[in-house]
Amino acid sequence: MNAEEIISLVANVGFPVSLCVILLRYILKTLGEKLDRLDQSVNQLILTIKDLNIQKSSIVIKDDHSTD
């Protein structure tokens, strides 16, 4: 949003409404960025849990073979 659009918005709609629009835009952008980071973190957690399960399975298999 450039300065001309903001001035036009204030002149046509009024200060309270334009302020709400600007704040809503900011909140949605910030929330979107945080949700993207949360999605990346959850995906990394899934990969880590899968790796741990694979390591656990290989340890259990080695223990089973060593007891024979």
Side-chain angles (χ1 to χ4, degrees):
M1 209 179 246
N2 61 26
E4 291 177 11
E5 291 175 337
I6 292 173
I7 292 170
S8 175
L9 188 63
V10 170
N12 293 330
V13 179
F15 180 74
V17 174
S18 59
L19 187 61
C20 287
V21 169
I22 292 169
L23 288 174
L24 180 63
R25 222 177 119 116
Y26 171 76
I27 289 170
L28 289 176
K29 180 182 175 197
T30 305
L31 185 62
E33 291 170 355
K34 289 183 182 205
L35 287 175
D36 289 341
R37 287 197 317 257
L38 179 62
D39 186 47
Q40 290 172 354
S41 297
V42 169
N43 286 334
Q44 183 63 40
L45 181 61
I46 289 170
L47 292 174
T48 303
I49 290 172
K50 285 180 181 178
D51 287 344
L52 287 173
N53 282 335
I54 290 171
Q55 290 175 1
K56 180 182 172 189
S57 297
S58 66
I59 290 172
V60 169
I61 290 173
K62 287 179 184 177
D63 285 344
D64 287 344
H65 289 297
S66 66
T67 57
D68 290 341

